[in-house]
Every structure is written in C-alpha cells, then in structure tokens.
Amino acid sequence: MSLLKSAEDIAGMREAGRLAAEVLEFIAPHVRSGISTEELDRLCHHYMVDVQNVIPAPLNYRGFPKSICTSVNHVVCHGIPSPKKSLKNGDIINIDITVIHRGYHGDTSQMFLIGDCSVLARKICKVSQECLYRGIAQVRPGAHLGDIGHAIQTYAEAQNFSVVRDYCGHGIGKVFHEDPQVLHYGKPGTGMRLEAGMIFTIEPMINAGTYHTRVLPDQWTVVTRDHQLSAQWEHTILVTENGYEVLTPRADEHLDLIKAYIPTS
Ligand code: MF3
Ligand code: CO
Ligand code: CO
C-alpha cells in the first residue's frame, strides 16, 4: 500500500486541515476560567456541524462519546469533555480537533493557559510547542521518521521533560489513523524514509515527570502515572519536494519560527 497522496487528495487534505485549525481559532476566546469542558465541546460541535458542515471525527470513533478531546493538567490526551470539569485559574488545557471534510481528515491541537499559570505550566506548554516545531523542521524527502523523533526527544529531555511512549503521531487521509506511526522519540537515520506526497501528524505529548501513562476506568482518559503535568501540540503535515507544508496553520501562529530549526546542508 502506497502512503503517497494524489494531487486531489492533497487538495482535500489542505481544506480539511484549514477547517480543523479554524475550529481552534473559533474556540480560543471561549477558553476561559469558569467554562466547562462540555460547554467547549458543545460550542465546537455546533460550529463544525452547523457552520462548517464538517463531521467531528471523534464523535462515536471507537465509542468516543464527544466531538472534541479536552485534556486538562495531568491528562495526557483523549480527555472526555464533561459538565463536571470547569476550567480554573492556573489550569492548562489541550483541545484536540479532528474534522472530516469531503471524506478527508484534518487533525490539530493546541494548549491554552488559563489565567495565571505556574512557571512550570508555562514552560511545558512552550517546550511542547517547540518540540512540535523542531519535529516539523526535520520533514523533507529523504529524511527518516527517526530524525523527527530524535529532534523532539533531544530537546524535551534537555529541558528535563520526558516524551510519552504509549501514543504517537500517525498517517492520515481518508482514514483517521493510518500508517505510518510517527514516534516522538528515536534515533537519526532510522525508520521509514520520507517521500513527497506523504501526510502524517506530529503530536508530541511531553510530561513534566516520567513518561509513564495510565488509562482511567472510562477507557479513554489518558493521565500521567505520577500525576504531573503533560502538554501536547499537533499539526497535520504534508511532505513536499522542498520540505514540508503545515496543513493545519492557525492565523495566530508564527510558522516562520520553524525555519530556525531546519538543518542546513
Ligand atoms: N485527535 C486524536 C489524535 O490526534 C485522536 C482522538 S481519538 C478520540 O490522533 F476518539 F479520542 F477522539
Ligand atoms: Co492525531
Ligand atoms: Co488530534
């Protein structure tokens, strides 16, 4: 099975990616102290279904009960929006959006800081975004998947954080999660060679303590085993002839920052 997308697929994925990013732009002003994660879900669901005419991919995906994932503080990923979980001053939250548009998936997530956050909370949000950017900077034809993982792991560990091993990035297209698996740790020059036309996500989950995780009895919510903070950012990436294209760019984002990390030669 070829992992290379057709020109038609790429055009569809670019639209889906932009729509997913627009959901994050839409929800951003609502992500404030006092709002419940269920309310964030309701607002995003309405925007996706009634304004964008897209399908929220998480809803009923392998039994997931909501339209977005909301992962607060020590929740690593796959947090289920709940009326019982309201945001409070000092929280950090990842909101993960996946839309299906004309059969194509766009998948992206970002962190939000609620009010006055601790130095550690601010650092882990910043470092995890930089991990994503350092991973993206490795993407070009001829590079290996291990180059991406190595760039992320090296930086995270130099900042005294750890890289979650139990979950990874993934190929994406007409299928939500397809090959290849994109590990956020690894060795340079190992793993699959990248070719122009591949599309996959990079979505490093970075922990303040150890990388070990546990799944709660709801069978979805992934938490850090030591209950320390975790943070994650995600983009859907196309491998181009020259390097990469971020298919899920937000208006508030300075993607030029990625260029600083592109290896020369
Ligand atoms: N959006 C997540 C990812 O980045 C997957 C969420 S699956 C769900 O791959 F069922 F929890 F929504
Ligand atoms: Co993903
Ligand atoms: Co996602």
Side-chain angles (χ1 to χ4, degrees):
M1 235 303 265
S2 166
L3 301 179
L4 304 185
K5 292 337 195 216
S6 68
E8 184 187 339
D9 291 340
I10 290 168
M13 288 296 287
R14 195 176 279 121
E15 287 186 6
R18 183 65 203 132
L19 287 159
E22 279 174 4
V23 181
L24 289 175
E25 293 168 359
F26 158 76
I27 202 62
H30 299 280
V31 188
R32 305 285 300 271
S33 176
I35 197 167
S36 72
T37 53
E38 182 178 75
E39 183 68 2
L40 293 171
D41 177 76
R42 194 187 65 76
L43 289 165
C44 288
H45 178 92
H46 168 262
Y47 188 75
M48 289 186 268
V49 171
D50 298 330
V51 179
Q52 294 183 318
N53 279 300
V54 300
I55 297 169
L59 188 58
N60 302 318
Y61 176 77
R62 301 189 181 188
F64 191 80
K66 295 287 183 179
S67 297
I68 66 173
C69 296
T70 52
S71 302
V72 179
N73 295 339
H74 67 292
V75 178
V76 174
C77 63
H78 304 167
I80 303 173
S82 160
K84 288 184 279 184
K85 186 73 201 171
S86 288
L87 299 180
K88 60 181 192 307
N89 189 50
D91 282 345
I92 60 171
I93 179 175
N94 173 279
I95 299 183
D96 194 335
I97 303 293
T98 312
V99 306
I100 309 172
H101 168 71
R102 299 203 209 147
Y104 294 103
H105 291 73
D107 189 7
T108 186
S109 81
Q110 75 170 106
M111 297 302 298
F112 295 91
L113 299 154
I114 310 302
D116 318 296
C117 289
S118 68
V119 170
L120 181 66
R122 283 183 274 137
K123 180 180 170 185
I124 198 167
C125 290
K126 185 161 191 265
V127 167
S128 53
Q129 185 177 31
E130 217 177 314
C131 283
L132 170 61
Y133 289 174
R134 285 171 184 256
I136 293 171
Q138 295 294 321
V139 175
R140 59 173 174 77
H144 292 257
L145 280 178
D147 301 341
I148 298 172
H150 180 75
I152 292 168
Q153 181 180 16
T154 307
Y155 185 64
E157 292 177 357
Q159 300 298 318
N160 278 312
F161 291 145
S162 64
V163 176
V164 169
R165 305 294 202 267
D166 299 335
Y167 303 88
C168 57
H170 49 93
I172 184 167
K174 288 179 177 152
V175 174
F176 193 166
H177 296 106
E178 59 186 34
D179 282 345
Q181 290 196 48
V182 180
L183 305 184
H184 302 113
Y185 57 94
K187 298 206 187 322
T190 66
M192 198 185 71
R193 269 174 78 95
L194 305 186
E195 289 177 55
M198 292 176 176
I199 298 180
F200 50 79
T201 72
I202 304 178
E203 49 182 301
M205 283 143 276
I206 304 300
N207 290 357
T210 73
Y211 60 70
H212 297 288
T213 70
R214 186 194 305 285
V215 181
L216 295 187
D218 64 24
Q219 296 191 53
W220 277 107
T221 311
V222 179
V223 298
T224 55
R225 257 198 233 175
D226 59 15
H227 272 231
Q228 293 207 61
L229 291 178
S230 187
Q232 177 181 32
W233 297 72
E234 174 176 28
H235 273 310
T236 300
I237 305 295
L238 166 69
V239 185
T240 64
E241 298 295 338
N242 298 322
Y244 62 85
E245 178 180 335
V246 176
L247 298 181
T248 43
R250 298 184 309 280
D252 61 275
E253 202 176 12
H254 296 283
L255 291 171
D256 272 7
L257 293 175
I258 297 172
K259 286 183 192 150
Y261 305 120
I262 296 175
T264 46
S265 91

